[in-house]
Amino acid sequence: MNTWTIMIYELRRLFRSRSMLLNMFLLPLVLIFLLGASLSGVVGVKGAAKIDPVRVAVVNPSGEGAGPSAMIAAFLKLPEVQKVIIPQEAESRQAAESGLRAGKYGYAVIVPGGFDSEVQSGKKAQLEFILGKNRTDNMVAGTAFDNFLSTMNYKQAAVATLGPEALTVSASLPADHEAVKLGDLNNGGRTYTASQFYAASMLLMFLLYSGITVTSSLFSEKDNHTLHRINSMPVKGSELFIGKILGVGIVSIVQCLAIILLSDWLFGVYWGNRPGLLLLFCLLMIIASMTLSIVICLFSKTAASASSIISVITVCMTFLSGGMAPLPDAWVNTIGAVTINHWVLQAVIRMMLHSELSQILPNLLIISIICLVMFSAAIFSYRKVGYHE
């Protein structure tokens, strides 16, 4: 009963503080708006770049009885191929190379003599490619023709293994894929914006900052010299301690919900398709933050020193996890992995991108282990030091 009374009193005290309301509820939203608007072109997964069609020089075999390859011509007439390749006939290999050097063509394909007849006789389909100056053009055209050759050789292998009936069966099946398909191979085509990134980053940073609220709550009784008076009453020290921590924890949960809901309503921040899992990660973040602050407070002599330590730890963790500015992935995934923010931030971003649950569960396991370790450290610290003047 005493614990709930102390918790309610702590809630009243915190919600009456204007500075607390400004710092915990208004400031995060302001930072999300400013950072999301000013860094929209710097942070976030950019959309797929537009691919311009590549001019491809096609050199067909010359000589008596030789002519354009019907298979190559049929492939180049496919609607999806015409979106990325503009075929142009070249008289000879020398003409194609000259056009590549002059920038007339972006890629060249040399069709060997008797290509169609060799493929029809069961031999391996082969073409000769000459790269151009532009790396993207080479990649686009090369991917298209590689796909063509892979399909032809796959059919050849099927015929060699299963007999001519394999082609008949293959032709009767509906086509379930395109020869060339444009799209974003990352995250099923989904992207995240700067507002989403900084909303997640600022949410986690201010949940860590809730440790300062723990500091002010625990040291307020000491600084006001009321802790000794409370201990003289029929109130256990553990009841007072737990009541205060529960009060701060509830405020942190309300802060978390307010940031998520208001950022969605005011700025259109999309938090993903797993709200329950998102709240679970936020709850674990609150537990980790509060237990870390408890350990620091119990071993600190003054509120100022405890608040300074928590502030430095919060800023360092946010920076190392890449939450303040874009950092190289190698940096974030090595040094940043030692921070609490890293595991929760990566999980939130993946939820925004609709990643599979299997990609999120490892982060949940690690942050749960961190919470368990920090909770054990907080219990050990309380039993060793206690909460007294």
Side-chain angles (χ1 to χ4, degrees):
M1 188 64 181
N2 291 332
T3 301
W4 301 116
T5 303
I6 294 170
M7 181 192 71
I8 294 172
Y9 170 79
E10 190 67 19
L11 289 173
R12 290 177 179 175
R13 185 184 71 83
L14 291 174
F15 280 112
R16 286 174 183 170
S17 174
R18 293 182 180 179
S19 60
M20 189 276 296
L21 295 177
L22 289 174
N23 292 332
M24 295 186 69
F25 293 93
L26 181 60
L27 185 57
L29 296 173
V30 173
L31 287 176
I32 291 171
F33 171 73
L34 294 177
L35 293 173
S38 60
L39 298 176
S40 58
V42 179
V43 179
V45 178
K46 299 177 178 59
K50 181 181 178 181
I51 297 178
D52 296 324
V54 183
R55 294 181 179 273
V56 177
V58 180
V59 182
N60 283 292
S62 59
E64 185 176 354
S69 169
M71 292 183 177
I72 298 294
F75 170 72
L76 295 175
K77 288 180 181 179
L78 293 175
E80 60 269 23
V81 175
Q82 291 181 345
K83 294 178 182 179
V84 294
I85 291 179
I86 302 176
Q88 295 187 341
E89 291 288 338
E91 296 179 357
S92 63
R93 181 190 184 95
Q94 291 75 16
E97 292 177 350
S98 177
L100 288 173
R101 287 192 293 267
K104 181 180 178 181
Y105 308 127
Y107 197 79
V109 178
I110 311 297
V111 183
F115 176 81
D116 291 3
S117 60
E118 289 188 1
V119 171
Q120 292 171 357
S121 64
K123 295 182 180 179
K124 184 178 181 181
Q126 291 181 329
L127 295 172
E128 182 181 355
F129 304 131
I130 304 178
L131 305 183
K133 297 179 180 180
N134 189 288
R135 182 172 177 269
T136 302
D137 289 349
N138 294 333
M139 185 182 301
V140 171
T143 301
F145 281 99
D146 284 344
N147 181 63
F148 167 73
L149 292 177
S150 298
T151 303
M152 297 299 299
N153 290 321
Y154 170 78
K155 292 180 179 179
Q156 297 287 55
V159 171
T161 305
L162 304 176
E165 295 80 6
L167 287 180
T168 305
V169 175
S170 176
S172 64
L173 295 176
D176 58 351
H177 68 279
E178 300 176 354
V180 177
K181 184 176 181 180
L182 300 180
D184 184 2
L185 299 181
N186 183 37
N187 305 314
R190 290 187 172 272
T191 62
Y192 65 87
T193 64
S195 296
Q196 286 179 288
F197 177 82
Y198 280 110
S201 175
M202 292 300 103
L203 170 64
L204 300 182
M205 186 178 77
F206 278 89
L207 289 182
L208 274 179
Y209 265 128
S210 63
I212 296 180
T213 308
V214 174
T215 301
S216 62
S217 177
L218 294 179
F219 276 93
S220 62
E221 306 297 344
K222 294 182 180 181
D223 297 338
N224 295 329
H225 303 289
T226 56
L227 182 58
H228 180 72
R229 200 179 312 167
I230 294 175
N231 286 332
S232 64
M233 301 172 64
V235 178
K236 297 180 180 179
S238 59
E239 293 176 342
L240 175 62
F241 182 79
I242 295 173
K244 283 182 165 291
I245 297 303
L246 287 177
V248 177
I250 292 175
V251 172
S252 298
I253 293 174
V254 174
Q255 176 196 23
C256 174
L257 293 174
I259 293 175
I260 292 175
L261 296 176
L262 291 176
S263 62
D264 182 17
W265 179 52
L266 295 175
F267 312 131
V269 174
Y270 177 66
W271 288 90
N273 61 339
R274 303 181 187 275
L277 193 58
L278 173 65
L279 294 179
L280 176 59
F281 271 101
C282 292
L283 180 61
L284 292 174
M285 186 71 183
I286 293 172
I287 293 174
S289 170
M290 293 185 63
T291 50
L292 175 63
S293 302
I294 289 171
V295 174
I296 295 173
C297 290
L298 293 179
F299 287 97
S300 299
K301 294 183 178 180
T302 63
S305 61
S307 298
S308 299
I309 295 173
I310 294 172
S311 298
V312 171
I313 291 176
T314 299
V315 172
C316 291
M317 283 190 176
T318 305
F319 175 77
L320 293 176
S321 64
M324 289 186 174
L327 296 176
D329 290 339
W331 179 291
V332 173
N333 292 326
T334 53
I335 301 178
V338 303
T339 66
I340 302 174
N341 308 50
H342 171 82
W343 301 104
V344 182
L345 179 60
Q346 297 300 320
V348 174
I349 294 296
R350 288 170 182 168
M351 282 185 274
M352 291 177 175
L353 297 174
H354 286 200
S355 297
E356 297 292 335
L357 185 62
S358 58
Q359 297 179 356
I360 304 173
L361 289 180
N363 296 57
L364 180 61
L365 176 61
I366 292 176
I367 191 64
S368 300
I369 294 174
I370 292 174
C371 288
L372 181 61
V373 172
M374 296 304 303
F375 188 77
S376 302
I379 294 178
F380 173 78
S381 301
Y382 180 80
R383 289 183 176 180
K384 184 175 182 180
V385 180
Y387 177 52
H388 53 75
E389 291 185 289

